[in-house]
Amino acid sequence: MSIQVTGDRHSLLCHIASLGLAVYDTILYLDTNSCPEARAFLEKTKAEYKEAVCRYEEKYGPINLCGHPDEDIHWCWQL
């Protein structure tokens, strides 16, 4: 069985990937820097990422075998 990736589906996957990269890049930045603007950017981008994943999963099903995990991890700079 093959899964066909349409233009809309591909665009949404690319958007999710770019948001995910922005989130993790910002997390790495915050590991070594204290920056309120970066924290605000992280929260905004994480919300956009979760929204995009939810949109994808509503339309196309789980993004991976088990679906996307919820974030229960707290980083030291979040405490």
Side-chain angles (χ1 to χ4, degrees), residues 28-69:
L28 291 174
Y29 177 80
L30 286 169
D31 280 344
T32 58
N33 299 280
S34 178
C35 178
E37 292 87 5
R39 287 187 189 163
F41 175 79
L42 176 63
E43 293 307 314
K44 178 180 85 72
T45 308
K46 277 174 39 179
E48 289 177 29
Y49 176 80
K50 287 181 181 183
E51 180 183 323
V53 168
C54 286
R55 256 193 339 237
Y56 179 91
E57 290 185 339
E58 285 174 1
K59 194 169 186 178
Y60 301 108
I63 201 161
N64 63 28
L65 184 61
C66 300
H68 192 270

Side-chain angles (χ1 to χ4, degrees), residues 4-37:
Q4 187 173 10
V5 179
T6 63
D8 184 46
R9 186 175 187 175
H10 178 74
S11 295
L12 190 50
L13 283 172
C14 287
H15 184 63
I16 289 168
S18 65
L19 288 170
L21 178 61
V23 166
Y24 284 109
D25 196 34
T26 307
I27 288 170
L28 291 174
Y29 177 80
L30 286 169
D31 280 344
T32 58
N33 299 280
S34 178
C35 178
E37 292 87 5

